[in-house]
Amino acid sequence: MKLGSIIYSAVVKSHPLSSGGVSRMPKGLKFDLKNPYILEVLPEGDIAQFAKYDGNDLKAVCNILDNTKKGFDGGELKALYKKAFPNIKVPTDVNTDAMIYLNELSESVGSKFDAHGIAKISVTDHLKQLNRLLTEGIDSSRDFYTAPLVAPKGVGSGFGTAGSAYRDGSFILVGEKGKLIADSGIKHVIVNDAYYSIIDDLQRKFPDVNFVRADRAVEYFNKL
């Protein structure tokens, strides 16, 4: 079910039914960010992005949300590439922070998080693949290898990786603590240094996912 429909259903359920089983929802209901039933179903993240709808007709807002595309289109991706790489050419010394800083993440913490590093393709294609996965979800008909964010020593052959999830790409997808990505979805994305400049853009587009810089990832996951 799409977000608009989820919101509308939550508001409907908040109004008691008449003796004949008909909803007693008043006419002209507004989208109200103070309504606890609406707040409860909004995705975690930047609630402020919905402030522009506050006070507008509830049905109209829900229809807009249901028909709003989730990911970046081709033009938006080109703009993000330009923002990340204003000189067009991708520097050769990018995507080193995850390799450096994640070495400081302990096994006791990192092993609790299922992860998938987007790597082995061009840096520009990393963003395209991230956009596809966050927009369309993981294709269950294709192999999607995951591994612990920090694998226990001696573990690796069973994951299809060298042990821990790949760290040399632009993004590392991470699941909910103690759960597989296949079961819980993508909850966190570690952004490597190539794309630090567009983290705010990613967060606005995908508010239900938490984006964290690679050089701050250790502190972030320790707190979790």
Side-chain angles (χ1 to χ4, degrees):
M1 187 181 292
K2 295 183 178 180
L3 179 58
S5 299
I6 292 173
I7 292 172
Y8 195 77
S9 295
V11 175
V12 169
K13 291 177 181 178
S14 71
H15 290 81
L17 299 178
S18 68
S19 57
V22 179
S23 174
R24 291 179 175 174
M25 281 183 64
K27 294 182 179 180
L29 272 179
K30 305 297 184 182
F31 182 87
D32 184 2
L33 280 178
K34 295 179 181 178
N35 185 322
Y37 296 96
I38 292 178
L39 288 173
E40 185 177 1
V41 296
L42 287 178
E44 293 181 7
D46 188 9
I47 300 292
Q49 67 166 317
F50 297 98
K52 60 185 177 182
Y53 302 120
D54 206 26
N56 293 334
D57 181 79
L58 178 66
K59 278 190 175 181
V61 171
C62 290
N63 285 334
I64 291 172
L65 294 175
D66 274 353
N67 292 302
T68 299
K69 64 180 179 60
K70 186 176 180 182
F72 297 104
D73 61 28
E76 290 171 328
L77 285 174
K78 287 182 180 179
L80 290 178
Y81 292 140
K82 189 173 182 180
K83 184 176 181 179
F85 312 110
N87 296 321
I88 306 301
K89 189 175 181 180
V90 179
T92 57
D93 59 345
V94 296
N95 288 341
T96 59
D97 278 7
M99 297 287 290
I100 296 171
Y101 289 95
L102 285 179
N103 283 330
E104 300 175 16
L105 186 63
S106 68
E107 177 187 316
S108 62
V109 174
S111 62
K112 292 181 173 64
F113 293 92
D114 191 36
H116 171 88
I118 297 179
K120 296 186 176 181
I121 52 178
S122 69
V123 170
T124 51
D125 280 339
H126 290 166
L127 180 58
K128 184 183 295 184
Q129 185 165 338
L130 175 72
N131 185 56
R132 180 181 61 79
L133 287 169
L134 294 182
T135 302
E136 302 174 8
I138 297 168
D139 184 354
S140 59
S141 67
R142 303 178 61 182
D143 289 334
F144 185 81
Y145 294 108
T146 63
L149 189 54
V150 178
K153 292 180 181 179
V155 175
S157 59
F159 297 114
T161 72
S164 303
Y166 292 123
R167 301 176 179 178
D168 56 344
S170 301
F171 306 101
I172 303 174
L173 315 178
V174 185
E176 187 176 338
K177 181 180 177 181
K179 297 182 180 180
L180 297 175
I181 291 178
D183 297 329
S184 67
I186 300 164
K187 301 299 181 182
H188 320 273
V189 174
I190 298 173
V191 181
N192 218 348
D193 53 270
Y195 286 109
Y196 280 170
S197 62
I198 68 164
I199 287 180
D200 288 344
D201 301 275
L202 294 170
Q203 191 65 73
R204 283 192 294 269
K205 180 63 72 171
F206 303 103
D208 51 340
V209 177
N210 298 312
F211 294 86
V212 56
R213 290 168 56 112
D215 59 356
R216 299 173 185 169
V218 173
E219 179 183 4
Y220 175 83
F221 284 100
N222 280 338
K223 288 182 178 179
L224 291 181

